Amino acid sequence: MSAMDLDEIRARVDALRGRDLPTHGGRTLAYVYDSGVASADVIGREVLAAFSSTNGLDPTAFPSLLQMENDLVAMAGRLVDAPEGFAGVATSGGTESILLAVLAARDARPEIRSPRMVLPTTAHAAFHKAGHYFGVEPVVVDVDPETKRADPDAMRAAIDDDTVLVVASAPSYAHGVIDPVGPIAAAAAAAGVRCHVDACIGGWVLPHLRPDEPDQEPWTFAVAGVTSVSLDLHKYAYTPKGISILLHRSAALRRTHLFASARWPGYTMLNTTMQSTKSGGPVAAAWAVVNHIGADGYATLAGRARSATLELARAVEGIEHLSVAAEPDSTLLAVTADGRCDVFTISDELAARGWYAQPQMSFRDLPATLHLTLSAATADSIARLAADLAEATAAAVEVGPTAPPEELIVAASSVDPEHLDEETFAGLLAVAGLADGSGALALPERMAPINALLDALPPELREALLLGVLDRLTRPTPSGGPV
Ligand SMILES: Cc1ncc(COP(=O)(O)O)c(C=O)c1O
């Protein structure tokens, strides 16, 4: 195929993007964060593009990146009460920050042969990924069924001689509540174990809310025993994607995730994070956006997102068949439905009304919920969102709770998640009506039946089936693509 001219590329890219969720406008209530401040988007994009070819691989080759990263680390440190002597790094996102926190904790205790970490059930899945990558066994402790906050006594009881890390969230993604970091960190410290606070989603919001909400649960380095904190810029700092900050109470605590290799004839590889070559774009863009919005700007944006969350929570309480899963401590809301309807159908009905709200599956005794991340740009539309949510719920009640066909549950339940082969998976897709004429995966417009089926299955089976879906989705374009 011949080379495309610029106009054709622009048209093709626009057409491709036409199928995506909107990143701006405040109607996508997961994945994206919209400040609604046009100038912040403009400067973020401009600087992202200007630095896209720079390389953070070598801080002496691109000192601009080192300076901007150190500035961002300093700003993040001020937000979370980091003490004298703290150290940090910019990573590619929350998951990488968490991976490094777990790696650093494991490698600080080489004498422990079977390392473990104590997590509340609500800790982000990134900790399970870290456990999987680095051989650190997650010890998962139930949260309080009412408040959805971690249970400090149960977490203390779960710490043993093999524990290298204890985790708390500020707030948790699934329910938007802040764990009782004080007693959790104290239990960790008493056992001589590190305590990581995952403030990936709340780190750039909660500190700005403190003046108006002085009773906020303490969760920063001001809490003795907290050894590391992660906070993402590409969430509520409203910067372009690809940047989070991981902070350690001291440079010594960070040391075990720094990496050097001189064991080859090329340059000595010297990294603070998992990436080696890394675009300077996200760091530079974040530096630009954070400095443009400024402390007062973030206070305003955080206040708007917080008021929107509380307004929506009160509206949800007024919608028959819905309730909030937990009183929100930040800017995230989880909504449950009573037995007359299900959150999966409500999610589909909201999508039909132009809103994306994320369905979350049940886990242990925690029911399925609808997740809404509220960013500043949604604040002016809460009345509209609440009205559409009420309508979506009424429509879901009309059809009743989604009941996946019994034979499908039986067929899916008979699968051994450890050994789900191509043939079995193809058979399941056919029974579920998810295969086109050629047997290829064909996802339906309405996801409720699939989500309800997955929700009825144990997590290991959900994982196996969804990995099958992912595997089918990520195959080369049949025609070989346009190039
Ligand atoms: C609390 C929390 N931790 C970790 C993450 C993972 O962040 P990322 O998707 O940037 O890897 C998220 C993402 O939403 C989060 O909310």
Side-chain angles (χ1 to χ4, degrees):
M1 190 165 173
S2 58
M4 279 186 212
D5 68 32
L6 299 190
D7 286 341
E8 188 179 353
I9 288 179
R10 288 187 188 108
R12 294 262 199 134
V13 167
D14 284 350
L16 286 168
R17 281 200 65 184
R19 307 210 303 260
D20 295 349
L21 287 171
T23 56
H24 290 76
R27 284 182 161 256
T28 305
L29 303 165
Y31 307 118
V32 301
Y33 301 79
D34 181 7
S35 66
V37 180
S39 55
D41 287 339
V42 168
I43 196 67
R45 277 199 298 270
E46 193 180 306
V47 176
L48 184 71
F51 279 80
S52 62
S53 299
T54 61
N55 193 343
L57 169 63
D58 180 348
T60 62
F62 295 94
S64 61
L65 299 181
L66 181 64
Q67 179 68 57
M68 288 189 279
E69 178 169 347
N70 286 342
D71 288 351
L72 289 169
V73 166
M75 286 180 214
R78 277 196 293 278
L79 276 185
V80 299
D81 309 313
E84 189 70 23
F86 81 102
V89 290
T91 70
S92 63
T95 299
E96 190 184 359
S97 291
I98 287 167
L99 291 172
L100 291 174
V102 174
L103 180 67
R106 184 197 73 174
D107 285 359
R109 303 292 302 275
E111 75 284 7
I112 296 181
R113 305 302 293 272
S114 307
R116 310 168 95 195
M117 59 183 152
V118 176
L119 312 175
T121 40
T122 49
H124 195 275
F127 290 96
H128 295 270
K129 184 173 187 173
H132 178 69
Y133 278 12
F134 303 138
V136 179
E137 185 195 340
V139 177
V140 179
V141 178
D142 284 324
V143 297
D144 181 300
E146 268 313 301
T147 64
K148 313 292 190 286
R149 296 197 177 99
D151 173 347
D153 291 335
M155 294 203 45
R156 183 182 301 110
I159 298 173
D160 67 14
D161 290 346
D162 288 334
T163 307
V164 295
L165 185 67
V166 174
V167 170
S169 308
S172 60
Y173 180 82
H175 302 106
V177 297
I178 306 177
D179 288 330
V181 173
I184 292 172
V193 170
R194 292 187 186 209
C195 175
H196 180 78
V197 174
D198 176 7
C200 282
I201 205 157
W204 227 268
V205 175
L206 295 171
H208 297 295
L209 297 176
R210 259 183 297 190
D212 289 333
E213 300 186 18
D215 295 336
Q216 187 184 96
E217 179 81 33
W219 57 271
T220 63
F221 284 107
V223 177
V226 170
T227 52
S228 55
V229 176
S230 49
L231 53 166
D232 295 356
L233 289 158
H234 66 191
K235 294 188 170 75
Y236 280 102
Y238 298 107
T239 74
K241 290 267 182 279
I243 181 160
S244 161
I245 303 289
L246 171 63
L247 301 176
H248 297 273
R249 188 176 277 279
S250 69
L253 291 170
R254 180 180 66 171
R255 178 66 188 79
T256 41
H257 72 65
L258 305 186
F259 178 80
S261 178
R263 298 171 196 211
W264 74 310
Y267 60 88
T268 298
M269 184 186 260
L270 199 54
N271 303 143
T272 53
T273 64
M274 300 188 75
Q275 286 181 297
S276 196
T277 280
K278 58 180 170 190
S279 169
V283 166
W287 191 94
V289 171
V290 165
N291 279 301
H292 178 61
I293 294 180
D296 290 347
Y298 280 116
T300 304
L301 293 174
R304 279 167 64 71
R306 175 70 175 151
S307 309
T309 309
L310 294 176
E311 189 185 337
L312 186 62
R314 298 294 72 88
V316 164
E317 292 297 359
I319 300 175
E320 206 186 348
H321 309 296
L322 294 189
S323 37
V324 298
E327 189 55 31
D329 288 332
S330 186
T331 52
L332 318 172
L333 195 64
V335 176
T336 48
D338 67 13
R340 296 284 307 284
C341 58
D342 64 72
V343 293
F344 307 121
T345 308
I346 297 173
S347 169
D348 284 347
E349 290 291 339
L350 275 177
R353 289 165 178 78
W355 298 95
Y356 178 82
Q358 192 177 48
Q360 303 186 124
M361 312 254 158
S362 53
F363 183 67
R364 292 196 181 172
D365 59 349
L366 300 169
T369 52
L370 191 65
H371 172 101
L372 303 103
T373 290
L374 281 308
S375 56
T378 310
D380 290 337
S381 321
I382 294 302
R384 181 72 261 156
L385 171 55
D388 283 343
L389 183 57
E391 259 186 52
T393 306
V397 169
E398 186 103 356
V399 295
T402 313
E406 196 53 39
E407 74 266 19
L408 195 51
I409 298 189
V410 171
S413 305
S414 67
V415 170
D416 171 3
E418 300 274 325
H419 304 102
L420 177 57
D421 57 31
E422 278 278 320
E423 202 182 327
T424 316
F425 188 68
L428 274 178
L429 286 184
V431 180
L434 296 177
D436 66 12
S438 68
L441 174 69
L443 288 178
E445 188 108 317
R446 294 181 75 91
M447 291 297 288
I450 298 178
N451 285 328
L453 169 66
L454 291 168
D455 191 52
L457 302 174
E460 313 75 62
L461 204 43
R462 275 180 213 164
E463 289 167 359
L465 293 172
L466 287 170
L467 283 174
V469 169
L470 184 65
D471 179 53
R472 295 293 178 108
L473 286 173
T474 53
R475 297 282 173 95
T477 310
S479 65
V483 181

